[in-house]
Amino acid sequence: MEKRRYDFPLPYLTIIVSFLLLFSGNAQAEIIALANGSFLEGTIIEEDDQFYTVEVPDGKVKVPRSNVKTIWRGTKAELVERRGPALELVKGYELYQEGKFKESLDAFKQASELGATSHVVYANLGSAYASVGERAKAEQAFLTALEKDPTSRETHLNLANLYMSSANYAKAVENYEKVVELGPEDKSFYRDLAYAYYAVGNYDRALALYEELERKNDIVNLNNKAATLIQLGKLEEAGSILNELASAHPTFLKAHLNLAELYKRKGEDEKAIHRYRIVLSFDPKDHAARMALGRFYMERSLVLKAQEEFQAVLDDDPGYLDARYYLAEIYTQRQAFREAIEQHEKILEHYPDHLASYNNIGLLYLKMNQPEKALAEYEKLFARDDSYPKAHVNAGLAHIFLGDAENAAKEWDRALELDPTLESAVTNKRLLEDILKGDPNEVPS
């Protein structure tokens, strides 16, 4: 599956320019933003293809259209009331267009503080927050904008793009589908929607879009179509496309990677390895190829070969999370628990909120019969996020190791509160209750 930067490149988080639309009213008054950065306040009494004629307190002024950037129109009463917010909106828009996202964010905030509360203000706030990397605030701003105007196609599109950039594909699909509903004639985002469908496992709809987007020389789209066909089990059709791509474009490495996946599914291991090696011969630092090859070796229980591939990725990029995580898993399989803990600790150096590593360190300490150290890891985890149910299950086991049935029960109750279907918590809690009743001669495991 060929991806843009985050799988499909994120399209612009387009600034919403609705605040430049005309306002209805009786006696009209305007604020005109000029190209030189100044503003002219008055009433437009005449306009043609070349000039605006503006009545100002000192008389009439002819302003060339080429000198005008934006115009705020409204009644005089509206102008007095809204002049501050309007100017801040115009200022924010201009700063955003210049790439000054932090400054544009400040202007949009100021517009909001001055009383501008329309969907346009929040839509622009969302774009600005997204552009400075504040995703949570961007999401909330876009959602607020949609509360005020649920039919804003642009806001749904920006929100979908935001979700794509954070790999929240299910929510991306939901908003892209709303964009389709509101403006089906525009297909500019269909490739992103197709990838989102692929990411959530809706391969039939992804394939339909790739076929709709298909162009003869669009090798990226053809490759993505083939990847989708592989997921649907249509291996011969996928192979026909990929072999032709790999032959016509031998340096298009994604086609070789998809061929490797195809051969792996057909059980033709040597052919799969050959395709991975082709990619690495062109680019020895292709992390996607090394990771795929490492996972292939793990699936075949060739853990030492897998370890070599993951280590090669880490030698080039010590912060590559997936490679470090798989390496920790290999050490765990080899019962090299101390080495596995070291790998998880290195993950936490780069990603201090990676809860799975805290959980796994705790489990490893349990395997080493060190429940106190295990509990210390779970306490660190819960200080960051108390809503990880499996960690509460494992913390309960640590308490059992220490002979503390009461706190074990509390942890399993908390796990079931978070996830009532969590089988390990249900089983352990039931066994503990049986033991406390003096029934079976068993211990939770």
Side-chain angles (χ1 to χ4, degrees), residues 242-275:
L242 291 169
N243 279 307
E244 185 175 338
L245 278 177
S247 176
H249 308 277
T251 61
F252 182 54
L253 303 184
K254 298 294 183 181
H256 294 288
L257 284 177
N258 278 326
L259 275 169
E261 175 64 22
L262 184 149
Y263 287 130
K264 186 173 75 171
R265 290 187 177 226
K266 293 173 73 173
E268 299 180 30
D269 289 2
E270 290 304 317
K271 288 184 177 180
I273 292 171
H274 175 65
R275 290 294 169 174

Side-chain angles (χ1 to χ4, degrees), residues 202-221:
N202 195 336
Y203 303 120
D204 287 318
R205 297 193 75 172
L207 180 61
L209 281 181
Y210 288 132
E211 289 177 340
E212 185 173 343
L213 293 167
E214 192 166 325
R215 298 183 184 86
K216 184 177 180 181
N217 296 317
D218 188 344
I219 62 174
V220 171
N221 192 74

